[in-house]
Amino acid sequence: MILATSSLVARDLAAVWHPFTQHGQWPADEPLVIDRGSGVYLYDAESRRYLDGVSSLWVTVHGHGEPAINAAILAQLDRLDHSTFLGLTHEPGIRVAEELLRVAPAGLSRVFFAGDGSSAAEAAIKMAYQAATQRGDDRPLYVHVAEGYHGDTLGAVSLGGVELFHATYRPLLIETRMVSSPGVLAAGQPRAARAAEVLAEMRALLAQEGERVCAVVLEPMVQAAGGMLTHDASFLVGVRALCDEFGAAMLVDEVATGIGATGAWFAVEHAGVVPDLMVVGKRLTGGVLPLSAVLAREAVYEAFLGSPDSGRTFFHGHTYTANPLSCAAALANLALMHERGTVARAATVGDRLGAALASVEKYDGVAEIRRVGTMTGIEVRSVGARTGFEVCRAARRRGVLVRPLGDVVVLMPPLGIADDELDELTSVVDASIREVVQ
Ligand code: PMP
């Protein structure tokens, strides 16, 4: 077995280029070969067990190998593997759209499918501009938020604000105006005060250029990839009001937050606001297959209606859009979420996480713990070059997989995790933090 692992690693190092991975370092970091998954656990090629503490990059809902999702995919495979959604339709796609609208904030009424989070974000970005143009407005600008992240395609990067990821591409990007992050606070500053400050900044910007802005783009409640930066719900209420005042679309990216992670179906519910465009992805299929979507208000959709030669068509779409297997997985996932009360359970999981981490936050080596529902970031104080990474490595030695964003250790367990499994996650993270930064 050990031989199998080293030979797989050697073949990987010879042939593969991994995302978000510095290959100058990776070989020395002892790549882990994942072989199988069951429930909240992943197993390596030597049958060592690891708790999947980041739900395989924020996607796993009930657990790996969920029988009902597997069965739904297999049944769909026997009926229809794939058929294009360009000019044709199919029942699994129709049903996912209906189910999404059933759980989405009232007022969103149309579903446009894509594949990954980035591709849906890209579609929403183009929709906002085209809708404005087709209403007769000249609005080529976007407002977005520092530390935001919407994916790695160029439109999404344009609206991102994570220097490390995005600065390289600046000469290639579309024109935007960026406001400060409502999640980056002065020492001791209350989050509500920071929200008001950034809203004032946004208002000043819109007062100058609002007539040219087609959308304000943001992650609601948690800027996830920016380091689990959380903000006050009043920020979303304020953005909604500014968008209404200045005629811009409110475009929220719920790829990380949506489908239960914050203890609500969608994070905008915490503020009681309804956006004009909402992007969902990640957990939609329960973490099994790629599927993402843009949910739009009727008024956005209507701006695209016209005759075939009107030029108002949304000329955008991907080959595998609304793939029936992905749709079958999504339907099974959403049905299970209703049946099991997974969203309410996620809120409980979040509370338990918060309680277990209360003592960790008191450690000298921990700067802050930020959390909304299950989405948790533990910011550790740097004690060397890669402190966050070292904490995660210590956790891996103890059988838990978590991933750092710089010096923020991210915990985002599968929403359906059991209490004893959650306790295993938090106690291992506690011990790993004590090992590295105490
Ligand atoms: N938006 C947000 C808020 C995200 O967190 C992510 C991915 N982490 C994306 C978009 C991009 O999604 P994908 O990686 O599926 O393209």
Side-chain angles (χ1 to χ4, degrees):
M1 277 306 248
I2 297 198
L3 204 69
T5 299
S6 57
S7 121
L8 281 170
V9 169
R11 283 162 56 196
D12 179 289
L13 295 178
V16 183
W17 187 352
H18 289 267
F20 280 89
T21 301
Q22 176 45 260
H23 276 253
Q25 175 65 42
W26 204 52
D29 284 344
E30 298 168 52
L32 191 56
V33 181
I34 299 299
D35 181 53
R36 63 197 174 86
S38 175
V40 299
Y41 294 102
L42 294 168
Y43 296 81
D44 72 10
E46 288 153 41
S47 286
R48 275 188 301 247
R49 191 181 88 161
Y50 302 90
L51 196 152
D52 186 357
V54 285
S55 50
S56 291
L57 217 49
W58 319 346
V59 297
T60 315
V61 175
H62 310 283
H64 295 275
E66 173 59 48
I69 297 180
N70 289 3
I73 295 169
L74 289 174
Q76 182 58 45
L77 190 55
D78 277 342
R79 191 171 188 94
L80 172 68
D81 46 8
H82 182 67
S83 155
T84 182
F85 223 54
L86 280 62
L88 294 176
T89 194
H90 50 65
E91 190 180 347
I94 295 165
R95 286 180 56 206
V96 175
E98 290 169 348
E99 289 300 318
L100 273 174
L101 295 177
R102 194 151 81 87
V103 293
L108 295 167
S109 60
R110 298 283 165 177
V111 178
F112 183 91
F113 287 107
D116 292 292
S118 309
S119 57
E122 206 72 26
I125 291 163
K126 287 171 71 180
M127 275 176 188
Y129 170 71
Q130 191 173 342
T133 306
Q134 290 174 183
R135 285 187 201 117
D137 291 350
D138 177 28
R139 292 178 177 263
L141 272 181
Y142 296 83
V143 171
H144 64 123
V145 183
E147 307 303 335
Y149 178 85
H150 305 287
D152 299 327
T153 49
L154 283 179
V157 168
S158 300
L159 295 161
V162 182
E163 278 299 293
L164 178 66
F165 304 159
H166 300 149
T168 308
Y169 307 103
R170 194 155 292 136
L172 307 179
L173 305 181
I174 56 181
E175 203 179 349
T176 65
R177 301 287 183 262
M178 190 166 80
V179 296
S180 311
S181 167
V184 176
L185 312 166
Q189 186 180 31
R191 281 190 160 67
R194 178 58 173 162
E197 210 169 77
V198 179
L199 286 169
E201 187 184 332
M202 195 181 284
R203 165 173 288 284
L205 208 154
L206 289 169
Q208 278 196 342
E209 296 188 279
E211 279 177 7
R212 301 188 66 234
V213 172
C214 65
V216 177
V217 181
L218 71 161
E219 290 167 87
M221 299 306 288
V222 187
Q223 293 185 294
M228 295 292 149
L229 300 170
T230 62
H231 54 252
D232 195 71
S234 60
F235 183 64
L236 303 177
V237 176
V239 170
R240 178 69 271 177
L242 287 172
C243 286
D244 290 341
E245 186 178 338
F246 290 94
M250 180 176 184
L251 193 172
V252 301
D253 178 351
E254 292 255 13
V255 169
T257 50
I259 323 281
T262 69
W265 273 100
F266 299 100
V268 287
E269 292 169 37
H270 295 285
V273 304
V274 182
D276 300 289
L277 290 160
M278 185 168 94
V279 184
V280 301
K282 290 221 186 259
R283 276 172 222 85
L284 183 50
T285 64
V288 182
L289 287 167
L291 185 67
S292 61
V294 183
L295 277 62
R297 280 189 193 240
E298 200 65 10
V300 177
Y301 169 78
E302 279 173 351
F304 288 79
L305 297 179
S307 64
D309 59 4
S310 64
R312 296 165 79 92
T313 304
F314 189 44
F315 288 108
H316 181 109
H318 301 285
T319 309
Y320 279 101
T321 281
N323 169 260
L325 302 176
S326 296
C327 289
L331 289 170
N333 172 47
L334 295 172
L336 281 179
M337 288 184 72
H338 287 297
E339 200 178 299
R340 294 177 177 172
T342 303
V343 176
R345 171 67 193 157
T348 311
V349 166
D351 292 343
R352 195 177 178 91
L353 261 173
L357 295 175
S359 51
V360 174
E361 194 166 20
K362 298 201 179 92
Y363 298 158
D364 289 342
V366 173
E368 189 180 41
I369 298 185
R370 299 181 285 271
R371 184 184 64 78
V372 180
T374 65
M375 300 180 73
T376 311
I378 305 172
E379 186 160 344
V380 294
R381 294 188 207 282
S382 175
V383 289
R386 293 200 294 167
T387 307
F389 173 86
E390 291 303 338
V391 172
C392 295
R393 185 44 63 100
R396 174 169 142 183
R397 286 195 294 273
R398 292 174 166 86
V400 163
L401 294 181
V402 282
R403 217 184 123 77
L405 287 162
D407 284 338
V408 179
V409 177
V410 173
L411 272 53
M412 217 194 283
L415 307 185
I417 191 169
D419 285 349
D420 57 335
E421 295 161 341
L422 192 64
D423 295 346
E424 179 188 349
L425 169 64
T426 48
S427 63
V428 164
V429 168
D430 185 337
S432 306
I433 288 175
R434 272 187 279 126
E435 178 188 321
V436 177
V437 299
Q438 278 306 99

